[in-house]
Amino acid sequence: MNEITPATVAAHGLSPEEYARVRAILGRTPNLTELGIFSVMWSEHCSYKSSKKWLKLLPTTAPWVICGPGENAGVIDIGDGQAVIFKMESHNHPSFIEPYQGAATGVGGILRDVFTMGARPIANLNSLRFGSPDHPRTRHLLGGVVAGIGGYGNCVGVPTVGGECTFHPAYNGNILVNAMTVGLADKNRIFYSAAKGVGLPVVYVGSKTGRDGIHGATMASAEFSEDADAKRPTVQVGDPFTEKLLIEACLELMATDAIVAIQDMGAAGLTSSSFEMASKGGLGVELDLDQVPLREAGMTPYEIMLSESQERMLMIVKPGREDMAKRVFEKWELDVAVIGRTTDTGHMILKKDGRVVADLPIDPLAKASPQYDRPWRAAPRPAVIPAADVPQTNDLLGALKRLLGSPDLASKRWIWEQYDHMVMADTAGRPGGDAALVRVHGTKKALALTSDCTPRYCAADPVEGARQAVAEAWRNITATGATPLAVTDNMNFGNPEKPEIMGQFAGCIEGMRDACLALDFPVVSGNVSFYNETNGQAILPTPAIGAVGLIEDVAKAVAIAFKVEGLTVILVGDTKGHLGASIYLREICGREEGAPPPVDLDAERRNGDFVRRMIREGRIQACHDVSDGGLLVAVAEMALAGSVGAEIAPPSDEPPLHAWLFGEDQGRYVAATRDAQQVLGAAREAGVPVHVLGTTGGQTLTVGGIGSISLPELRESHEGWLPRYMATA
């Protein structure tokens, strides 16, 4: 019964070589439960077997970093005895199969990663990628994902304050749903997952275990084909109301001295949580599966261990504190059960109906998973496209209107208005700007939060594209006046067994490393999502960057909006008019080609530090980084945000006018100031290029020598596309 055949092994995602390694470790043939445990623990999703080598290259330390990668989430010090705990994770495959539950449980999972370390979640963000708007599934997927994110986050009472959403045909068969949570904790009350001590009770808390999500981790470690819908049973089902109870119960117990270690049951459920806790503590564990709370009769050990039912946690408590834990969790109407004990054997012993059903050495599963040095081929770097080789449209203001109404640049208000972004009453900067601002409750301080990536740059040149992703996240935080502190990442790529895909990954790691080192922006947590392919067609390389910064006095922060007339509009940074891989080239000229804009990291640092200083000195009243669409798009977004127009004057010399207006040169900011002479003087002293563009005022956007366009006309284009698209039958 349950004979282990080559077909069984293949169905569990293990290669023949990996299965041979399993047998060597055990000294025998595994039973089905043991095979299932090996399969999830050694899946790409859980073991990072193709990426471990490369992830070690990223900078992860700084004086303000308390805990870097390796725990449930990263931890940074923000002073005053407080710490911020944050992470980003993917739920791509489940969201493509079942968009509402896939996205909802993605939010639930990342919330647990944060509050399991002792933090109260205070903000959610997301990074979403969908296929072409013309694809028949895109509208359904977008609607379901947004509803799932809003449905879970709104019910659990954590504000969703920021994110991004773009479209490209490369995501037609494999959307990306990356979720990020940020929490606040006492720096002296942070909880880790390493179990320490023999004979300690292993306590299960939260929801009952069912059959949903079985093999979710394995499914997330494989490509899609036409049978994606057949994988629907591997998608978990979430309950945000139970999650809210779980948050409060965990934080209540964390206020006592009962907990030794704690881990959420995420991918691979009870298997990963128990193995990781035991391995980090150098212990063994014995579990009695008859004690696991079940919501379905007749569940096998295989199903119990591999279930990914949501809203569950595993903790090790001090001897004699079991009753305390039970009282807390029963008060919150949650299941709680002592399901085992820690041992000194270094083995995981599973019992069911009084007999041993699995006996596995812990470290070979948790620490000695396969590690591959995959063959890789560097992506060829495309040629730079001279601005003069890109056609200039006869209607430049019409081009602006088209760009603002294009799927990538159109307002995402339709999305974020479905999220409760004001719950908890500490949101100081709403979605729609460069970075969200969330007050640190009871203080003047605020966190600046953002998520960013430009996949078309990464596809053209992974190294430069990843540098830009980090630099733009850094700029977005800087543009509010906050100091960027640290990064979490979500590395979304195709099949790592293909050298060209592995080359994209290696290039992006190199670019991220360069930028993080130059900007003192360490990576403290993250996630790798490979096999984002359908029928061999990979997504664009998408190393999404989530970032956190701090401003000591939120009253000094600025937003992107032109709020008053008569301010001088200035441009910080040099403009050469780079149009390769730009939105203008794609949307106006119908071409996707050329090298992306180069990132001068020294200039990024110099320009950003200057902008931040000017904001803190009160010399800048509005600020926006220049990114997709270039200078004129940035100015238009600032005008629309504050309902105040502007008049700007192009230079009389190089670059060509369309390249000056729409080029995507990096390291630039548009700012509005009432102290122009002081800012210009300070820029000269700092060696920072600053150019006067014009002034704010009126209800039009005027470009000297070209003409004017009204803000209502631009607004209709900018804010109208997405609601019209989603309203179309």
Side-chain angles (χ1 to χ4, degrees), residues 299-312:
M299 289 186 68
T300 65
Y302 179 99
E303 292 171 327
I304 293 169
M305 291 303 293
L306 271 61
S307 167
E308 293 186 9
S309 294
Q310 297 292 285
E311 294 85 41
R312 301 179 302 157

Side-chain angles (χ1 to χ4, degrees), residues 85-226:
I85 300 178
F86 65 105
K87 189 182 182 184
M88 181 185 277
E89 270 205 344
S90 61
H91 234 218
N92 303 334
H93 285 49
S95 298
F96 182 78
I97 296 168
E98 211 301 295
Y100 184 94
Q101 289 296 348
T105 52
V107 173
I110 197 63
L111 282 165
R112 287 193 300 280
D113 276 342
V114 167
F115 75 75
T116 193
M117 296 192 70
R120 177 170 291 282
I122 60 171
N124 289 329
L125 296 91
N126 51 72
S127 178
L128 310 177
R129 313 287 169 188
F130 295 96
S132 167
D134 298 329
H135 191 273
R137 291 200 65 182
T138 297
R139 191 178 287 104
H140 162 71
L141 291 168
L142 173 58
V145 164
V146 170
I149 292 170
Y152 205 100
N154 296 353
C155 290
V156 87
V158 177
T160 301
V161 298
E164 54 177 344
C165 175
T166 61
F167 302 82
H168 192 278
Y171 304 100
N172 282 349
N174 202 125
I175 65 173
L176 300 185
V177 176
N178 296 172
M180 175 177 167
T181 292
V182 181
L184 188 65
D186 182 331
K187 67 178 286 189
N188 295 320
R189 297 289 294 169
I190 295 168
F191 291 79
Y192 298 98
S193 58
K196 296 178 181 176
V198 174
L200 304 183
V202 179
V203 181
Y204 171 118
V205 301
S207 292
K208 288 180 170 63
T209 294
R211 289 188 170 95
D212 54 320
I214 293 173
H215 275 304
T218 307
M219 180 267 290
S221 305
E223 293 181 36
F224 276 154
S225 58
E226 294 89 346

Side-chain angles (χ1 to χ4, degrees), residues 509-591:
I509 290 288
E510 179 185 339
M512 286 175 60
R513 174 182 168 82
D514 291 347
C516 289
L517 286 171
L519 301 174
D520 284 335
F521 211 21
V523 179
V524 298
S525 60
N527 172 245
V528 177
S529 176
F530 278 134
Y531 296 99
N532 290 288
E533 295 198 9
T534 296
N535 296 326
Q537 296 298 307
I539 62 165
L540 301 181
T542 311
I545 301 296
V548 173
L550 177 71
I551 188 165
E552 293 292 343
D553 185 353
V554 68
K556 293 183 178 180
V558 299
I560 71 170
F562 291 153
K563 292 182 179 178
V564 296
E565 300 192 350
L567 298 179
T568 301
V569 182
I570 62 172
L571 173 65
V572 177
D574 279 325
T575 300
K576 293 183 169 60
H578 191 101
L579 287 171
S582 68
I583 289 279
Y584 176 90
L585 187 66
R586 188 180 78 190
E587 297 294 330
I588 304 302
C589 304
R591 294 161 53 187

